[in-house]
Amino acid sequence: MKVISALLLVGVFWSQELKSASSDSIIHIGAIFDESARKDDEVFRLAIADLNLNNEILETEKITFSVEFVDGNNPFQAVQEACELMNRGILALVSSIGCMSAGSLQTLADAMHIPHLLIQRSPAGTPRSDCSPTSRFPGTDDYTLMVRPPVYLNEVIMQVVSEYSWQKFILFYDSEFDIRGIEDFLDRTSQQGMDVSLQKVESNINMMITSLFRTMRVEELHRYRDTLRRAVLFMSPATAKAFITEVVETNLVAFDCHWILINEEISDYDLQELVMKSIGRLTLVRQTFPMPQNTTQRCVKHNHRINTSLCDLKNPKAQQLEISNRYIYDSVLLLANTFHRKLEDRKWHSMASLSCIRKNSKPWQGGKSMLDTVKKFGVSGLTSFLEFTDNGTNPNIFFEILGTNYGEDRGRGVSRLATWDPVHGLNGTLTDRKLENNMRGVVLRVVTVLEEPFVMVSENVLGKPKKYQGYSIDVLDALSNYLGFKYEIYVAPDHKYGSLQPDGQWNGLMGELVFKRADVGLSALTITSERESAVDFTTRYMDYSVGVLLRKAERTVDMFACLAPFDLSLWACIAGTVLLVGILVYLLNWLNPPRLPMGPVSSTTLYNSMWFVYGSFVQQGGEVPYTTLATRMMMGVWWMFALIVISSYTANLAAFLTISRIENSIQSLQDLSKQTDLPYGTVLDSAVYDQVRSKSMNPFERDPMYSQMWRMINRTGGGDNNVEESKEGIRKVKYGRFGFVWDAAVLEYVANNDEDCLFYTVSSNAPDRGYGIAMQHGSPYRDIFSQRILELQQNGDMDILKLKWWPKDSPCDLYSSLQTKQHGNALDIHSFAGVFCVLAAGVVLSCLIAMVESWWSRRKGSRVPSKECVYDGVTTSTSAPHLPSSPPSHCTFFRWKPWGTTAGPPLSMNYTQ
């Protein structure tokens, strides 16, 4: 039965074509198709056959048609064939053709008032681009209706790229694609700071890939592989399949790549083949048509039944329908409904034979009425619903975004991630839920550089893997516990963070990531623009600023700190004043001796005068009273002088012993840059080294402070003041005169944990960058890590991890340039050592003088013989005996005994001559 039905349809086709020009039917449609649109012609004929056989819409009338094939790149041929169709008398023109000939047909339709339903066709299945607007005469109507909706590929791909947070990717397009169609997309990516590379895919893909391997060096191929990790493909499904197959077989892409293919024309068959050939993650964007799943509802539209070969999803022919085929069918269906309404309204205008060649040929009179009826009503068909706006465009378009997960296995399942339409935008999420919620089974290889307190070795047992600890390790463990992955960690072979070498290659930690020997780079790694050009970074997990490590000034031990309140010259003046006043007092007493008796002891000696002046100066009083007016006047002024001097000394001594006045001149980076006495430097070819160099030499960010610092750091080419490792810089500060410029966080940890609190730090106030986790360019884990880091920061967990390594209650003062403790200074033995020394010197000197005096007295006594006189006192009463007022002249020693005593030694008394 199917064979008989097919034969009947073929017979109808041929009979209608033979009678198309001479039939008595009043409905005649013309069609112009591109030579490559044979399938459009087949669906066009099938649609007319359905309408003529079913009689649901046009009960008695039959539709006749004429079809012409043209070269899509020959507008003159298209116009010539269209004129021939109009000469036959057509009510409407349906065309499936490219932009080059569409403009000419549009101009002709406007001139002849023939409704023109244009189905834009892209060459070789490549993505569409908007056709250039056709200039028309003022006051003329637009008789061309764009059956296919406007091209929204720019808007869709921009939304998709933004959802994936891509900042750097490459865009491939095939040789048939008009690159002008994505100018708007490229402008918007440029405005948002995205780095987009363009590359045309030649028809001979194998030769193209071979030339890449032949012309590129090894490091260039590595960079090209990194670029291919994220790519957008604007190409036909056939070209995309060939291109993906070639790059996968040549190992230009790995399982962590993510490609996006966007094309309205991607069938289910093409979809399965693309998934089979690709690895990594694949996202596909294609046009879709919302249709009921039930076959009856899909095939029956109001009063018309669509051929099951086109609407039944189980039919292979329906699965391979192109988008232009669907619009061809619905265009014929829309025209049939229009003809039906014109016949019912009895406003039918018979067709007329029009001549395009005649100069005075008039357009069709019924064209305007027919055009208004077509635009007024819509129709449900294979494209869901076909209608036109006032400007002649179809507003109904829907895209579906399909995708796979990351993986090396081919033939993975494809799921719908989201949909897009011009009214609602993106509906759904493009997040890879499987990767976000579960990374169990994933083992990441982590490369690091030892840097306190970010990464340190905690356990190193022979024969066992090293264990690490530190702030960065704590952050990685927090991510691992949440996401479920495991990691293996190792130190970069050259123990460097890495820099770009003259040959274009990276060394150190960066080189391990660039050459794909590691998945993650973790340490005190700062985010810089140069590094971001080679690898991807997560969001910052800690702020970064430049600081300098300096050694605190040592407190010198001054044994004579008690003399510090007065200057040496002042002390000399005071000593001279004591001598001068003592001499003046002696002279005043010698010139004017006191009239009153001074007692048994003379007070006019120079020695006594000096002793009296000194005793009054130290507020200990004197032994000898002075009675003359001149002497008392002198002593009153002297006592006033002594009071002022002693009071000033006491006040200044207390201040000097409790408050240290030693100040270090370097209290900021500006102070460091302005001085040249203390040399300073950093780690050669590090991020700090590059930052200082950039801010001193780059005209766009030049800073005078960094310019002065660069002159010191780069002295003699940087070899004198710079070091190879940060530990070497810290050692130079500790054991020499040196300032080490490095990460402020690292320096604060070093100063906090120094046993002797020998260091203090100076840093800039505002952080200008941050520490991040580095990953291979295009890594699928970057966005997931960044999201989790933000969550740790928001809930305060990151601050808790930070306090573990930078506690607030530090035993050392990081910002004081003196070796002091934070609780203040108690007076110690060193402050009074000079006083004790003076006392000890006085004691020793007194002992020496006593010894000398004793020796002298013995020596003098041994030279003069002693004479003794004995006097027997006479007692006249019970009182003491009367002694003579002076001994006899011949006696140096006078001894007496009381009168009448018979026992006991006689009493004796010495007399001073």
PDB file of all heavy atoms in Angstrom, residues 14 155 189 207 258 326 433 459 474 512 543 568 709 757 883:
ATOM      1  N   TRP A  14       3.914  15.066 -11.192  1.00  0.00           N
ATOM      2  CA  TRP A  14       4.238  15.264 -12.605  1.00  0.00           C
ATOM      3  C   TRP A  14       3.056  15.838 -13.378  1.00  0.00           C
ATOM      4  O   TRP A  14       3.226  16.685 -14.237  1.00  0.00           O
ATOM      5  CB  TRP A  14       4.676  13.944 -13.250  1.00  0.00           C
ATOM      6  CG  TRP A  14       6.079  13.573 -12.884  1.00  0.00           C
ATOM      7  CD1 TRP A  14       6.457  12.628 -12.016  1.00  0.00           C
ATOM      8  CD2 TRP A  14       7.265  14.168 -13.399  1.00  0.00           C
ATOM      9  NE1 TRP A  14       7.819  12.584 -11.912  1.00  0.00           N
ATOM     10  CE2 TRP A  14       8.354  13.547 -12.767  1.00  0.00           C
ATOM     11  CE3 TRP A  14       7.523  15.200 -14.317  1.00  0.00           C
ATOM     12  CZ2 TRP A  14       9.666  13.887 -13.033  1.00  0.00           C
ATOM     13  CZ3 TRP A  14       8.834  15.527 -14.579  1.00  0.00           C
ATOM     14  CH2 TRP A  14       9.908  14.881 -13.926  1.00  0.00           C
ATOM     15  N   GLU A 155      23.434  36.938  20.497  1.00  0.00           N
ATOM     16  CA  GLU A 155      22.872  37.052  21.840  1.00  0.00           C
ATOM     17  C   GLU A 155      22.986  35.749  22.614  1.00  0.00           C
ATOM     18  O   GLU A 155      23.311  35.732  23.815  1.00  0.00           O
ATOM     19  CB  GLU A 155      21.405  37.484  21.762  1.00  0.00           C
ATOM     20  CG  GLU A 155      21.193  38.922  21.316  1.00  0.00           C
ATOM     21  CD  GLU A 155      21.315  39.084  19.815  1.00  0.00           C
ATOM     22  OE1 GLU A 155      21.575  38.075  19.120  1.00  0.00           O
ATOM     23  OE2 GLU A 155      21.161  40.219  19.333  1.00  0.00           O
ATOM     24  N   THR A 189      32.324  41.293  23.625  1.00  0.00           N
ATOM     25  CA  THR A 189      33.383  40.616  24.387  1.00  0.00           C
ATOM     26  C   THR A 189      34.558  41.549  24.629  1.00  0.00           C
ATOM     27  O   THR A 189      35.172  41.515  25.698  1.00  0.00           O
ATOM     28  CB  THR A 189      33.867  39.366  23.643  1.00  0.00           C
ATOM     29  OG1 THR A 189      34.298  39.733  22.308  1.00  0.00           O
ATOM     30  CG2 THR A 189      32.754  38.335  23.536  1.00  0.00           C
ATOM     31  N   MET A 207      45.427  18.983   6.377  1.00  0.00           N
ATOM     32  CA  MET A 207      46.583  19.795   5.961  1.00  0.00           C
ATOM     33  C   MET A 207      46.783  20.973   6.907  1.00  0.00           C
ATOM     34  O   MET A 207      47.924  21.351   7.208  1.00  0.00           O
ATOM     35  CB  MET A 207      46.373  20.285   4.532  1.00  0.00           C
ATOM     36  CG  MET A 207      47.538  21.083   3.968  1.00  0.00           C
ATOM     37  SD  MET A 207      47.247  21.616   2.268  1.00  0.00           S
ATOM     38  CE  MET A 207      47.199  20.023   1.445  1.00  0.00           C
ATOM     39  N   HIS A 258      36.746  22.204  26.927  1.00  0.00           N
ATOM     40  CA  HIS A 258      35.316  22.528  26.877  1.00  0.00           C
ATOM     41  C   HIS A 258      35.070  23.313  25.594  1.00  0.00           C
ATOM     42  O   HIS A 258      35.579  24.421  25.429  1.00  0.00           O
ATOM     43  CB  HIS A 258      34.902  23.343  28.104  1.00  0.00           C
ATOM     44  CG  HIS A 258      33.428  23.593  28.171  1.00  0.00           C
ATOM     45  ND1 HIS A 258      32.845  24.348  29.162  1.00  0.00           N
ATOM     46  CD2 HIS A 258      32.401  23.190  27.368  1.00  0.00           C
ATOM     47  CE1 HIS A 258      31.530  24.391  28.976  1.00  0.00           C
ATOM     48  NE2 HIS A 258      31.252  23.705  27.882  1.00  0.00           N
ATOM     49  N   ARG A 326      11.269  22.657   7.228  1.00  0.00           N
ATOM     50  CA  ARG A 326      10.100  22.938   8.071  1.00  0.00           C
ATOM     51  C   ARG A 326       9.459  24.271   7.687  1.00  0.00           C
ATOM     52  O   ARG A 326       8.230  24.384   7.613  1.00  0.00           O
ATOM     53  CB  ARG A 326      10.532  22.970   9.541  1.00  0.00           C
ATOM     54  CG  ARG A 326      11.025  21.639  10.087  1.00  0.00           C
ATOM     55  CD  ARG A 326      11.567  21.800  11.501  1.00  0.00           C
ATOM     56  NE  ARG A 326      12.006  20.536  12.072  1.00  0.00           N
ATOM     57  CZ  ARG A 326      11.220  19.695  12.744  1.00  0.00           C
ATOM     58  NH1 ARG A 326       9.935  19.989  12.916  1.00  0.00           N
ATOM     59  NH2 ARG A 326      11.699  18.570  13.235  1.00  0.00           N
ATOM     60  N   ARG A 433      26.428  20.117  37.428  1.00  0.00           N
ATOM     61  CA  ARG A 433      26.073  19.720  38.798  1.00  0.00           C
ATOM     62  C   ARG A 433      26.899  18.524  39.275  1.00  0.00           C
ATOM     63  O   ARG A 433      27.271  18.436  40.433  1.00  0.00           O
ATOM     64  CB  ARG A 433      24.583  19.372  38.874  1.00  0.00           C
ATOM     65  CG  ARG A 433      23.671  20.555  38.593  1.00  0.00           C
ATOM     66  CD  ARG A 433      22.221  20.156  38.759  1.00  0.00           C
ATOM     67  NE  ARG A 433      21.320  21.260  38.507  1.00  0.00           N
ATOM     68  CZ  ARG A 433      20.854  21.564  37.314  1.00  0.00           C
ATOM     69  NH1 ARG A 433      21.212  20.856  36.274  1.00  0.00           N
ATOM     70  NH2 ARG A 433      20.034  22.584  37.157  1.00  0.00           N
ATOM     71  N   GLU A 459      56.306  16.885  58.384  1.00  0.00           N
ATOM     72  CA  GLU A 459      56.832  15.564  58.735  1.00  0.00           C
ATOM     73  C   GLU A 459      57.607  15.023  57.555  1.00  0.00           C
ATOM     74  O   GLU A 459      57.102  15.001  56.419  1.00  0.00           O
ATOM     75  CB  GLU A 459      55.683  14.618  59.089  1.00  0.00           C
ATOM     76  CG  GLU A 459      56.136  13.236  59.542  1.00  0.00           C
ATOM     77  CD  GLU A 459      54.973  12.356  59.945  1.00  0.00           C
ATOM     78  OE1 GLU A 459      53.963  12.904  60.436  1.00  0.00           O
ATOM     79  OE2 GLU A 459      55.074  11.125  59.767  1.00  0.00           O
ATOM     80  N   ASP A 474      45.879  24.461  54.586  1.00  0.00           N
ATOM     81  CA  ASP A 474      44.581  24.455  55.277  1.00  0.00           C
ATOM     82  C   ASP A 474      43.449  24.826  54.326  1.00  0.00           C
ATOM     83  O   ASP A 474      42.355  24.251  54.389  1.00  0.00           O
ATOM     84  CB  ASP A 474      44.615  25.432  56.457  1.00  0.00           C
ATOM     85  CG  ASP A 474      45.526  24.947  57.581  1.00  0.00           C
ATOM     86  OD1 ASP A 474      45.882  23.747  57.570  1.00  0.00           O
ATOM     87  OD2 ASP A 474      45.886  25.763  58.445  1.00  0.00           O
ATOM     88  N   GLU A 512      55.546  23.965  35.690  1.00  0.00           N
ATOM     89  CA  GLU A 512      54.896  22.675  35.926  1.00  0.00           C
ATOM     90  C   GLU A 512      53.440  22.709  35.462  1.00  0.00           C
ATOM     91  O   GLU A 512      52.921  21.713  34.954  1.00  0.00           O
ATOM     92  CB  GLU A 512      54.961  22.332  37.423  1.00  0.00           C
ATOM     93  CG  GLU A 512      56.368  22.163  37.966  1.00  0.00           C
ATOM     94  CD  GLU A 512      57.085  20.990  37.326  1.00  0.00           C
ATOM     95  OE1 GLU A 512      56.573  19.865  37.422  1.00  0.00           O
ATOM     96  OE2 GLU A 512      58.150  21.222  36.722  1.00  0.00           O
ATOM     97  N   ASP A 543      44.480  38.808  50.759  1.00  0.00           N
ATOM     98  CA  ASP A 543      45.040  40.012  50.164  1.00  0.00           C
ATOM     99  C   ASP A 543      46.559  40.000  50.267  1.00  0.00           C
ATOM    100  O   ASP A 543      47.136  39.397  51.168  1.00  0.00           O
ATOM    101  CB  ASP A 543      44.480  41.260  50.845  1.00  0.00           C
ATOM    102  CG  ASP A 543      43.012  41.478  50.504  1.00  0.00           C
ATOM    103  OD1 ASP A 543      42.598  41.060  49.416  1.00  0.00           O
ATOM    104  OD2 ASP A 543      42.285  42.048  51.338  1.00  0.00           O
ATOM    105  N   LEU A 568      77.879  66.407  78.747  1.00  0.00           N
ATOM    106  CA  LEU A 568      79.224  66.354  79.334  1.00  0.00           C
ATOM    107  C   LEU A 568      79.759  67.752  79.625  1.00  0.00           C
ATOM    108  O   LEU A 568      80.417  67.985  80.658  1.00  0.00           O
ATOM    109  CB  LEU A 568      80.164  65.604  78.391  1.00  0.00           C
ATOM    110  CG  LEU A 568      81.616  65.426  78.868  1.00  0.00           C
ATOM    111  CD1 LEU A 568      81.652  64.628  80.161  1.00  0.00           C
ATOM    112  CD2 LEU A 568      82.449  64.747  77.781  1.00  0.00           C
ATOM    113  N   MET A 709      63.171  52.762  44.708  1.00  0.00           N
ATOM    114  CA  MET A 709      63.466  51.410  45.180  1.00  0.00           C
ATOM    115  C   MET A 709      64.124  50.580  44.087  1.00  0.00           C
ATOM    116  O   MET A 709      65.030  49.782  44.363  1.00  0.00           O
ATOM    117  CB  MET A 709      62.183  50.732  45.655  1.00  0.00           C
ATOM    118  CG  MET A 709      61.574  51.329  46.915  1.00  0.00           C
ATOM    119  SD  MET A 709      60.017  50.557  47.398  1.00  0.00           S
ATOM    120  CE  MET A 709      60.564  48.869  47.736  1.00  0.00           C
ATOM    121  N   CYS A 757      62.658  38.090  68.910  1.00  0.00           N
ATOM    122  CA  CYS A 757      61.911  39.282  68.477  1.00  0.00           C
ATOM    123  C   CYS A 757      62.861  40.334  67.898  1.00  0.00           C
ATOM    124  O   CYS A 757      62.837  41.509  68.275  1.00  0.00           O
ATOM    125  CB  CYS A 757      61.093  39.874  69.618  1.00  0.00           C
ATOM    126  SG  CYS A 757      59.755  38.802  70.196  1.00  0.00           S
ATOM    127  N   LEU A 883      92.764  69.889 135.222  1.00  0.00           N
ATOM    128  CA  LEU A 883      93.899  69.648 134.310  1.00  0.00           C
ATOM    129  C   LEU A 883      94.504  70.971 133.904  1.00  0.00           C
ATOM    130  O   LEU A 883      93.777  71.991 133.812  1.00  0.00           O
ATOM    131  CB  LEU A 883      93.449  68.888 133.073  1.00  0.00           C
ATOM    132  CG  LEU A 883      92.841  67.494 133.347  1.00  0.00           C
ATOM    133  CD1 LEU A 883      92.411  66.885 132.041  1.00  0.00           C
ATOM    134  CD2 LEU A 883      93.849  66.611 134.056  1.00  0.00           C
TER     135      LEU A 883
END
